[in-house]
Amino acid sequence: MNTTSVLTDLRAAAQADARIPAATAAGFLLLGSMVFLFRRTTQQDDSGIVKLPDWASYLTAWSFFTKRHDFLFNGFAKTGQDLFQFRFLQHTVVAVSGEEGRKVFHNDKYLDFTQGYQILLGGAPRLEQSSQADYVPENMTWFNKNVALLFSKERLADVLPSLLDDIHTSLSKSMPQKEGRIDPFRNVYDLIVQMTIRMVSCRSLSNDPAAVADMWKYFDIIEKSATPFSLIVPWLPTSATRNKEKATTDLYMFLVKYIEQRRNSTPTSDAFDVLISSGLDNQQIVGFAMIIIFAGITNSSVNACWILIYLAAHPEWKVKATKEVHDLLASYSNPVYANEPLHKRLATIPIEAWESKMPVIELALKETLRLTATGAALRRNTKADLPMAGKVVKRGWFLAYSAADVHLNPDIYSNPDDWDPSRFEPGREEDKKQAYAFIAWGGGRHPCSGMKFAKLEIKMIVSLFLAGFEYDLVDAKGNPPKQLPVPNINDLQRASPLGDPVYLQYKKIVD
Ligand code: HEM
């Protein structure tokens, strides 16, 4: 799910546009398939970028959605080049690898972020045919300005105790006994959902579990509707697209009810109040909240799970990280709170310490992200033909750069499949070997604007686990696992675990 699609869907929900009749759509699909299937194959053009055969762009589109990493990796292997181009539906996409291409990809100001992700909607305009003067700069500024307001240090400090309450409540529900076993990929996800909704909405919604569950039902439908088929032919009225339209409208109406309530109440530090006083209308506020929820939840929850797993599998790091949390509690906790439950004591650690005094957990998270962040970032060249690594990316073409190009590259990271946070420590600093060698938070013109919040929520979950429980990894039979699962690098959304499942076998040690 990406920011552009959410805004587009919202516009649709708010304005109720006309629908293409099913028969017309099916006719277009057939005609389109024939045109694409019988397009003449050619291997060269004046860009100098080698081409994959373009006689079956719907098949290419299918692998680009279902096995993106393998598709890109095989393309580089087949062509032996740092850049290759392929047809994706009606568009040309350049797959980029190597340091030179990576620098341009992250820094050129005419490589448009929003239009890049629009390719996944199949609805990007035909830029080749319009004049260069038509270029409208991407508009992430208003969005990032409001992210900065919501995730300011003051607001994070303000909401920190409520977030820790959320973790405590959620863990008490999913881990009710003194001892037990949980599947982190199920339980941690719900927890991040709750925390994110708190960060972007208002108390009357986030304090009401039934309302959070209702809201999540709509999101779930929208997320599940993003099947490869519905993304490749988004205009075809399938049941997934119909469900998505209805859920988007329902979600819009649901959130507007709360926003209107806030408009008629005394302002507080709740996110809706902050956005209202920043001058946003209802549609903008809903769009903003939805983008944050889609951008934040999946990445944050999956990484919170993986870091717990990697720490459990590397006891020396788990011991160091646990000591770090105890040391922070000892330095900051007020003796008045000595008999309070753990989450209340953690709430007395100031935001500055969460941000800058957790070097061990910070390293562990960085290494976790290196292994899970292997997806492709997308852009579109909106201005003049762009020189890249001795070749030319034409105006209107899309670009895809996979983070696996650096994160799993043995020339940059020794034994890249191993989880080893010390590779970032002074003396080794493997991520400094090449430009943009660590891009799990993006880089250049589009660094992640949710990074501070994402780090904070992951550190809070890890701290509650490490100081509150003894836990180990077990397999389905309760034995130490023979092998660790690995992140599925072809999973575009979740870096889901591949291999036999593992569980966290826990014993509560403090309340
Ligand atoms: C572990 C959690 C997260 C990871 C690993 C992550 C990763 C990334 C990456 C790699 C990019 C750059 C994408 C590109 O270059 O195409 C990015 C951009 C972005 N992220 Fe995150 N993100 C996380 C959490 C969040 C959260 C919680 C938010 C909520 C605000 C968020 C909001 C954004 C936005 C708005 C951008 C685009 C920034 C721009 O274009 O200026 N992210 N993120």
Side-chain angles (χ1 to χ4, degrees), residues 4 112-120 124-125 127 135-136 138 378-382 396 398:
T4 314
D112 193 299
F113 177 93
T114 315
Q115 286 205 29
Y117 287 97
Q118 233 173 7
I119 194 174
L120 301 180
L127 204 62
Y135 173 69
V136 180
E138 61 197 23
L378 302 171
R379 300 285 186 271
R380 190 181 205 189
N381 180 20
T382 50
F398 289 82

Side-chain angles (χ1 to χ4, degrees), residues 3 105-106 113 117 138 140 143-144 147 151 196 291-293 295-301 303 365 369 372-373 376-379 439-443 445-451 453-455 457-458:
T3 55
F105 184 94
H106 285 99
F113 177 93
Y117 287 97
E138 61 197 23
M140 289 303 286
F143 185 83
N144 286 331
V147 171
F151 296 166
T196 311
I291 291 170
I292 295 208
I293 287 172
I297 287 181
T298 311
N299 269 328
S300 301
S301 60
N303 283 295
L365 177 59
L369 286 162
T372 59
L378 302 171
R379 300 285 186 271
I439 48 171
W441 300 108
R445 304 188 78 84
H446 295 283
C448 174
S449 42
M451 180 182 77
F453 173 57
K455 278 188 179 180
E457 55 185 353
I458 294 172

Side-chain angles (χ1 to χ4, degrees), residues 285-463:
I285 295 178
V286 176
F288 179 84
M290 285 175 73
I291 291 170
I292 295 208
I293 287 172
F294 279 120
I297 287 181
T298 311
N299 269 328
S300 301
S301 60
V302 89
N303 283 295
C305 298
W306 279 110
I307 189 176
L308 289 172
I309 290 175
Y310 285 129
L311 283 171
H314 297 83
E316 70 287 9
W317 280 93
K318 188 165 155 228
V319 168
K320 283 199 278 185
T322 309
K323 179 173 179 317
E324 183 167 87
V325 179
H326 284 141
D327 288 351
L328 274 184
L329 277 169
S331 336
Y332 291 101
S333 226
N334 187 326
V336 174
Y337 295 99
N339 295 323
E340 291 286 318
L342 176 62
H343 67 288
K344 296 281 182 208
R345 286 186 287 131
L346 284 169
T348 63
I349 298 175
I351 188 74
E352 294 76 18
W354 286 100
E355 287 183 346
S356 63
K357 302 231 163 119
M358 293 189 148
V360 175
I361 297 177
E362 189 84 35
L363 278 185
L365 177 59
K366 187 166 180 178
E367 177 64 341
T368 301
L369 286 162
R370 183 185 66 79
L371 288 171
T372 59
T374 50
L378 302 171
R379 300 285 186 271
R380 190 181 205 189
N381 180 20
T382 50
K383 198 73 178 179
D385 291 352
L386 175 75
M388 183 181 269
K391 315 261 164 56
V392 176
V393 177
K394 304 263 176 174
R395 179 165 187 267
W397 285 7
F398 289 82
L399 297 101
Y401 181 75
S402 166
D405 183 50
V406 277
H407 289 174
L408 302 181
N409 186 337
D411 294 337
I412 301 177
Y413 296 106
S414 54
N415 303 317
D417 296 333
D418 293 354
W419 188 85
D420 174 12
S422 61
R423 64 172 81 246
F424 297 114
E425 282 180 331
R428 280 182 74 187
E429 293 177 312
E430 295 184 347
D431 55 324
K432 302 280 183 318
K433 279 189 200 161
Q434 291 189 15
Y436 298 107
F438 182 80
I439 48 171
W441 300 108
R445 304 188 78 84
H446 295 283
C448 174
S449 42
M451 180 182 77
K452 273 191 177 181
F453 173 57
K455 278 188 179 180
L456 177 68
E457 55 185 353
I458 294 172
K459 283 177 183 170
M460 288 193 298
I461 294 171
V462 169
S463 300

